[in-house]
DNA sequence: GTGAGGGGGAACCGCC
DNA sequence: GGGCGGTTCCCCCTCA
């Protein structure tokens, strides 16, 4: 039963991902239509029960990894377009390690470098909700609560089971007197639409960082790492 | 019909 | 005191 649920959830994730990819590539195809190098394509390979999908175009590429034997959500592995061609072979090779039961040598996609939490208050300012969400999204340990779908377009989705956990953490971080709930946090998220920092996506529990916000957050993270 | 999630107005609070 | 960034409450709508 758990396997069935997991498969259903992955299936649902896949639908969401493909919807966004379609829209994303459609938009990028317009933006980059003059560049002959911008070929948008997707391919997938199966290694036993594991499916690996590769998507690239418009100067960006990433690999999505579905592990049917685990309850985890699909895993995203961002690569450079130059590496895209080799990425499936690389991951397929890494999967051999997975299949032979060597978790320590699991694919790089499964263990992205854990970013150091950004300075809680940035440059002396208080952490804002979208900073906090970005931190949580970059923490693989929180993937069961909120995860990218996919990261390079800034779309993320809360888990219907664990969404309140993120909210509770946010409330804790802010030192709120009363417990924060997803309902209240999502109200704050909707307010971001006015300032254009985060938009609601027409999918359940799904939001998207604006391009500028995402770039700023990524830059902020890089500065934190440096 | 029901519950979960979404949308938004409005008042309020704490911090800078 | 004013602005900012939420927080809280509430009501209504949509959708599965």
């Amino acid at each position: 039963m758990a396997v069935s649920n997991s498969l259903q959830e992955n299936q649902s994730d896949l639908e969401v991902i493909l919807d966004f990819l379609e829209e994303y590539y459609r938009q990028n195809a317009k933006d980059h239509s003059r560049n002959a190098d911008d070929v948008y394509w997707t391919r997938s390979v199966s290694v036993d029960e594991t499916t690996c999908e590769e998507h690239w175009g418009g100067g960006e590429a990433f690999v999505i990894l579905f592990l049917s034997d685990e309850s985890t959500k699909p895993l995203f592995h961002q690569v450079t377009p130059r590496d895209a061609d080799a990425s499936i072979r690389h991951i397929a090779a890494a999967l051999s390690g997975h299949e032979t039961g060597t978790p320590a040598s699991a694919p790089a996609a499964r263990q992205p470098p854990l970013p150091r939490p950004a300075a809680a208050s940035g440059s002396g300012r208080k952490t804002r909700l979208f900073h906090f969400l970005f931190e949580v999204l970059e923490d693989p340990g929180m993937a069961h609560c909120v995860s990218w779908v996919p990261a390079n377009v800034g779309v993320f989705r809360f888990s219907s089971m664990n969404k309140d956990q993120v909210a509770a953490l946010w409330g804790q971080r802010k030192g709120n007197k009363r417990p924060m709930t997803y309902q209240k946090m999502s109200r704050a998220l909707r307010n971001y639409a006015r300032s254009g920092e985060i938009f609601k996506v027409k999918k359940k529990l799904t939001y998207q960082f604006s391009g500028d916000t995402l770039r700023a957050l990524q830059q902020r993270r890089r500065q934190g790492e440096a």
Side-chain angles (χ1 to χ4, degrees):
Chain A
M1 189 66 77
V3 172
S4 163
N5 286 343
S6 168
L7 288 174
Q8 279 172 6
E9 191 160 335
N10 279 355
Q11 173 67 27
S12 148
D13 285 334
L14 178 58
E15 286 167 7
V16 172
I17 291 158
L18 292 179
D19 282 352
F20 285 119
L21 286 173
E22 208 178 295
E23 181 62 24
Y24 179 63
Y25 290 152
R26 218 188 344 257
Q27 284 180 8
N28 276 278
K30 286 179 202 160
D31 297 344
H32 300 273
S33 57
R34 284 172 302 166
N35 189 340
D37 292 336
D38 286 318
V39 179
Y40 295 84
W41 57 274
T42 296
R43 69 177 178 184
S44 65
V45 293
S46 290
V47 181
D48 288 343
E49 291 181 320
T50 299
T51 303
C52 180
E53 290 190 0
E54 190 178 60
H55 306 262
W56 67 289
E60 293 178 275
F62 52 93
V63 168
I64 306 171
L65 196 60
F66 295 92
L67 299 177
S68 59
D69 60 334
E70 293 190 6
S71 58
T72 53
K73 292 176 178 299
L75 302 154
F76 299 99
H77 179 52
Q78 203 161 352
V79 298
T80 65
R82 207 176 34 188
D83 298 336
D85 196 43
S87 57
I88 283 191
R89 281 194 301 278
H90 167 75
I91 287 179
L95 282 172
S96 316
H98 169 75
E99 285 164 353
T100 52
T102 53
S105 63
R110 303 194 60 209
Q111 300 290 341
L114 182 63
R116 248 177 300 174
S121 52
S123 51
R125 293 193 62 83
K126 291 178 75 174
T127 302
R128 293 186 59 196
L129 175 54
F130 65 88
H131 293 149
F132 168 77
L133 282 176
F134 186 75
E135 279 177 35
V136 172
L137 281 160
E138 293 294 288
D139 180 356
M142 292 297 289
H144 64 294
C145 298
V146 58
S147 53
W148 292 113
V149 262
N152 62 345
V153 291
V155 179
F156 58 98
R157 190 171 63 158
F158 292 93
S159 151
S160 60
M161 297 292 288
N162 301 314
K163 58 186 188 300
D164 279 316
Q165 201 174 320
V166 183
L169 272 175
W170 170 236
Q172 236 172 354
R173 170 78 72 92
K174 287 293 294 288
N176 291 347
K177 291 173 193 157
R178 312 183 68 165
M180 176 56 67
T181 63
Y182 173 78
Q183 202 172 14
K184 290 189 279 185
M185 188 177 70
S186 66
R187 182 71 191 94
L189 284 175
R190 290 199 297 275
N191 283 335
Y192 280 139
R194 277 190 296 188
S195 54
E197 282 152 325
I198 291 178
F199 299 101
K200 184 72 186 79
V201 165
K202 288 206 178 301
K203 290 276 180 186
K204 218 171 165 182
L205 305 174
T206 308
Y207 296 81
Q208 180 173 22
F209 288 106
S210 73
D212 288 346
T213 305
L214 189 61
R215 274 188 290 277
L217 288 167
Q218 285 166 343
Q219 190 176 358
R220 174 188 159 108
R221 181 189 60 189
R222 280 195 292 273
Q223 284 168 355
E225 285 168 353

